[in-house]
Amino acid sequence: MLQLIEKRFNFIQSHFNMRPSLDEYFMEIAKVVSKRSTCLRQKVGAVIVKDKRILATGYNGAPSGLPHCDEVGCLREKLNVPSGERIELCRGVHAEQNAIIQAAKFGISIEGATLYTTHCPCITCAKMIINAGIKRVVYGKDYADKSGLKLLKEAGIEVEYFPID
């Protein structure tokens, strides 16, 4: 009930051009990050935050130096693979994975951080989130496969659905 009241307050606040909540602020940034995505199916963005500071960002796309899906096409699309299935066929690295990798590459600890992501994490991303020590995940859109959410909750990670356009 408290979450519903808070979400309504956040909506009213944003409707009257008041200062956005931190969750609104960082989800908006995740949406902007997603615009860099080269995925033909879903544009996903992620932001890792600790102590109100952005530590790392990521969007979904091919590994560094390799052609992106918007250049070479999408195998999952060609095979008509439904969302949430056969993710191993995808050449892209997920936004959450790229954000975690970016932090590791630059020696930034993300233990105890919050991950904001435009889409619900898949099971592979959930495993990485758990092992990275992230304590909270805020996501904006549902995903066909709910096993990632289930795993995050099982690991005691706070998970919050924050609907976005």
Side-chain angles (χ1 to χ4, degrees):
M1 181 66 166
L2 184 59
Q3 285 182 336
L4 180 61
I5 292 168
E6 185 177 308
K7 285 181 183 170
R8 285 185 181 162
F9 174 77
N10 288 339
F11 171 78
I12 291 167
Q13 187 180 36
S14 65
H15 184 71
F16 291 102
N17 294 322
M18 297 171 71
R19 188 175 188 202
S21 70
L22 288 172
D23 284 347
E24 279 181 300
Y25 174 68
F26 291 121
M27 283 301 283
E28 283 296 320
I29 293 171
K31 284 169 46 178
V32 171
V33 170
S34 75
K35 292 178 180 183
R36 291 281 304 153
S37 169
T38 57
C39 179
L40 300 174
R41 293 181 136 200
Q42 295 191 71
K43 300 206 174 291
V44 182
V47 179
I48 300 175
V49 175
K50 189 172 181 181
D51 299 327
K52 302 178 187 178
R53 304 285 182 246
I54 295 172
L55 302 178
T57 63
Y59 54 86
N60 54 333
S64 296
L66 296 180
H68 289 276
C69 300
D70 59 0
E71 299 170 282
V72 297
C74 173
L75 180 58
R76 293 178 70 227
E77 202 56 24
K78 288 175 190 167
L79 298 175
N80 290 320
V81 177
S83 180
E85 295 180 19
R86 305 285 319 272
I87 60 174
E88 74 279 0
L89 294 176
C90 179
R91 74 183 287 114
V93 180
H94 289 188
E96 303 92 331
Q97 295 168 352
N98 270 325
I100 291 168
I101 292 164
Q102 183 185 70
K105 185 174 179 178
F106 294 103
I108 300 167
S109 173
I110 56 175
E111 188 168 0
T114 296
L115 184 139
Y116 292 88
T117 180
T118 57
H119 292 64
C120 177
C122 72
I123 190 146
T124 303
C125 289
K127 292 173 190 177
M128 291 181 68
I129 289 165
I130 293 164
N131 280 357
I134 291 171
K135 295 298 179 207
R136 181 172 180 245
V137 173
V138 180
Y139 70 97
K141 292 183 182 180
D142 277 322
Y143 185 57
D145 181 5
K146 304 288 188 224
S147 56
L149 275 183
K150 183 179 174 189
L151 201 63
L152 290 170
K153 291 176 183 176
E154 183 182 335
I157 293 174
E158 182 185 344
V159 177
E160 184 175 344
Y161 174 59
F162 193 95
I164 60 173
D165 300 334

